[in-house]
Amino acid sequence: MPSIAVIGAGLAGLSAAKILDEAGWRVVVFEKSRGFGGRCATKRLDGAVVDHGAQYFTMRDAAFRDAVHQACGDDVRRILAPVVSENGDELPDTGRFYHVAGNSRLARALGAGLDVRTGVRVEEIRDRMVHGETFDHILTTAPWPQTLTLAGREAENPYVPCLTAVLVFDGDPAGRAESTYAVSDRSGAPLLWSACENHKSGRIEPGRTVMVAQASSAFSREYLERDPAEWSAILQRLVEERWNLSAPREVLAHRWRFARIGHRVESPELPAGWTFAGDALSTSRVESAWLEGRMAAVQLLEAA
């Protein structure tokens, strides 16, 4: 059976790897980080489990919904509190879901049984050789600029960065945080998104309120290379004003250089035996990444 190296253990890479593995291919997934999930990222902070990447995921597609239920069972739950606009209007809800142990566990569950080698940075691929092994195929799900660099092509960057801050406050949620999950501000203000993680049951111990703040595209671009202490302090002040909070006991800052797609790209001709799958070809949603990986795997099987 064919062999394939999958670059990246995000949802796209794992969904493709799972289908090919079940079809009998020899599949090895290489991931530069220590864990699974890509932007389905979770931190353990001061006794709290916090999603500092993808805040939730949808399950609109039946195939994705079935895969999640089969892999995760009752560990996937729905956020019941509303998301509101900057004006306080409740936004439509088609289902916002999360994994009780952290959204990174969604990826781990969907990739169960695969040969995933974490902590392996792939910086060069020649003649389909990855870390001393030669494969029949290469499937890369690395961000678009990194994929093109590996392929020796001109690197376009269609991604928008996002600066994120996690803030831990003393006391249980009160006021707006008690009844509202998040505020999504599309007015162009620096604070694009702010959410109370306490609305994900089983995540936060009593006596703590944990907020996740994500900056707008303009703010993130302006402050991307500055000291995190500078921009996280600004986000902290904006969260305190919006949610009537003060003096967090802990603040964690994180840069997402490839947060979401600003515009879709057209795939150039890649080297023979290479395939790309990822949100650069669709939209920046967890569900979309999984579907892109699934589509790439099906196409590889049909061509084999």
Side-chain angles (χ1 to χ4, degrees), residues 81-82 172-181 196 198-199 209 211 243:
D172 294 320
R176 168 176 268 178
E178 188 175 11
S179 60
T180 301
Y181 165 53
C196 179
N198 295 63
H199 289 287
T209 296
M211 306 296 300
W243 295 82

Side-chain angles (χ1 to χ4, degrees), residues 53-273:
Q55 295 284 275
Y56 62 85
F57 53 91
T58 58
M59 294 194 291
R60 301 169 187 170
D61 182 85
F64 180 62
R65 185 166 56 249
D66 291 346
V68 170
H69 285 319
Q70 183 176 355
C72 303
D74 294 336
D75 287 336
V76 165
R77 300 177 187 174
R78 185 169 182 169
I79 300 171
L80 300 179
V83 174
V84 301
S85 71
E86 66 275 15
N87 299 319
D89 299 324
E90 188 169 326
L91 300 180
D93 179 10
T94 59
R96 304 181 182 101
F97 298 91
Y98 66 98
H99 193 291
V100 292
N103 286 343
S104 63
R105 293 295 184 91
L106 170 68
R108 185 169 291 276
L110 290 171
L114 294 172
D115 182 358
V116 181
R117 303 178 188 180
T118 58
V120 178
R121 182 179 291 274
V122 177
E123 296 181 338
E124 183 180 57
I125 300 176
R126 289 190 178 180
D127 299 323
R128 297 195 294 278
M129 180 178 287
V130 182
H131 275 261
E133 298 182 59
T134 300
F135 295 85
D136 298 314
H137 299 272
I138 301 293
L139 172 62
T140 172
T141 65
W144 189 241
Q146 296 175 4
T147 289
L148 293 188
T149 299
L150 283 174
R153 302 291 194 266
E154 289 288 331
E156 176 193 4
N157 184 7
Y159 292 88
V160 175
C162 180
L163 299 179
T164 298
V166 178
L167 305 101
V168 181
F169 297 87
D170 286 323
D172 294 320
R176 168 176 268 178
E178 188 175 11
S179 60
T180 301
Y181 165 53
V183 177
S184 179
D185 189 334
R186 302 292 170 171
S187 68
L191 185 59
L192 174 70
W193 171 272
S194 51
C196 179
E197 285 286 280
N198 295 63
H199 289 287
K200 298 172 181 176
S201 63
R203 293 286 200 89
I204 314 298
E205 63 184 25
R208 296 282 187 275
T209 296
V210 179
M211 306 296 300
V212 176
Q214 294 180 332
S216 68
S217 300
F219 182 94
S220 296
R221 286 193 177 101
E222 180 180 353
Y223 285 86
L224 186 62
E225 304 302 338
R226 298 197 195 181
D227 185 346
E230 179 183 358
W231 53 260
S232 64
I234 298 173
L235 293 180
Q236 174 187 328
R237 175 178 57 79
L238 295 172
V239 168
E240 290 174 344
E241 292 174 354
R242 174 151 282 171
W243 295 82
N244 193 26
L245 296 165
S246 62
R249 60 181 295 134
E250 190 166 357
V251 178
L252 171 73
H254 186 90
R255 291 186 183 99
W256 291 104
R257 294 185 182 275
F258 304 109
R260 62 181 177 82
I261 290 297
H263 62 275
R264 294 179 61 180
V265 300
E266 296 296 329
S267 178
E269 183 179 351
L270 294 172

